[in-house]
Amino acid sequence: MTFRVGQGLDVHAFDQARPLVLAGLRIGDSGGLAGHSDGDAVLHAVTDALLGAVGAGDIGEYFPSNDPRWDGASSEVFVNEALSVIDARYGDILNVDVTIIASRPRLSPHRQAMIESLAALLRIPVAQVSVKATTTDHLGFVGREEGLCAMAVVLLEMRG
Ligand code: MG
């Protein structure tokens, strides 16, 4: 039996006018994230972690940010593509651990719902998903509330 680990990291600037979507969950009607798609930095980090675990490139190769098809798209599309890639290589997700680094909003009230959303998207039990949140103690772009950062680590068991 072999195992593969993957990591992903994503940063997005805040865009007050957009809804905030994290881990596929709509957290607020405003205070969202700028950029490509719905700006769901958690799903982008998870997508990169899945791709990274099997050495299959990164999210930007599959979904170029200059491609208008992904403007405002749900980031669930990206996760589903990564799931297809790891499935084609006989990988099963053993666990996913996510850290969100943000000064706002307070994420602890949404933590369980984000775990449940991520578990459903990844089609794995809730017990195999972890979502944590931290701040930077007022330092840097996170401390200045300019944006947020999401990090993800995944472990795969390879059937092949
Ligand atoms: Mg991104």
Side-chain angles (χ1 to χ4, degrees):
M1 188 181 303
T2 59
F3 300 94
R4 307 271 307 205
V5 67
Q7 66 158 354
L9 171 79
D10 197 30
V11 171
H12 279 251
F14 283 121
D15 179 343
Q16 284 313 309
R18 304 186 83 194
L20 179 61
V21 181
L22 288 174
L25 182 75
R26 191 175 173 122
I27 293 198
D29 294 333
S30 61
L33 297 166
H36 193 37
S37 71
D38 57 8
D40 189 333
V42 170
L43 293 193
H44 298 179
V46 168
T47 298
D48 259 354
L50 292 168
L51 294 173
V54 292
D58 63 42
I59 190 171
E61 291 174 32
Y62 292 83
F63 304 101
S65 53
N66 58 7
D67 188 332
R69 270 184 301 170
W70 316 117
D71 282 348
S74 166
S75 295
E76 294 177 16
V77 174
F78 310 153
V79 173
N80 283 330
E81 177 66 22
L83 288 176
S84 305
V85 169
I86 64 167
D87 192 51
R89 296 172 192 223
Y90 306 107
D92 290 323
I93 301 171
L94 288 184
N95 75 301
V96 178
D97 186 19
V98 170
T99 302
I100 304 167
I101 310 169
S103 292
R104 68 172 170 83
R106 242 174 70 75
L107 291 170
S108 53
H110 307 286
R111 210 171 64 84
Q112 190 59 33
M114 285 193 283
I115 289 171
E116 287 167 14
S117 172
L118 207 45
L121 285 172
L122 296 173
R123 300 163 215 150
I124 57 176
V126 163
Q128 289 166 233
V129 178
S130 159
V131 175
K132 313 183 300 297
T134 189
T135 69
T136 58
D137 230 358
H138 308 291
L139 294 173
F141 71 87
V142 169
R144 292 188 297 272
E145 301 187 0
E146 293 168 3
L148 66 69
C149 177
M151 302 167 63
V153 174
V154 306
L155 184 66
L156 305 184
E157 179 181 336
M158 310 308 291
R159 277 174 275 124

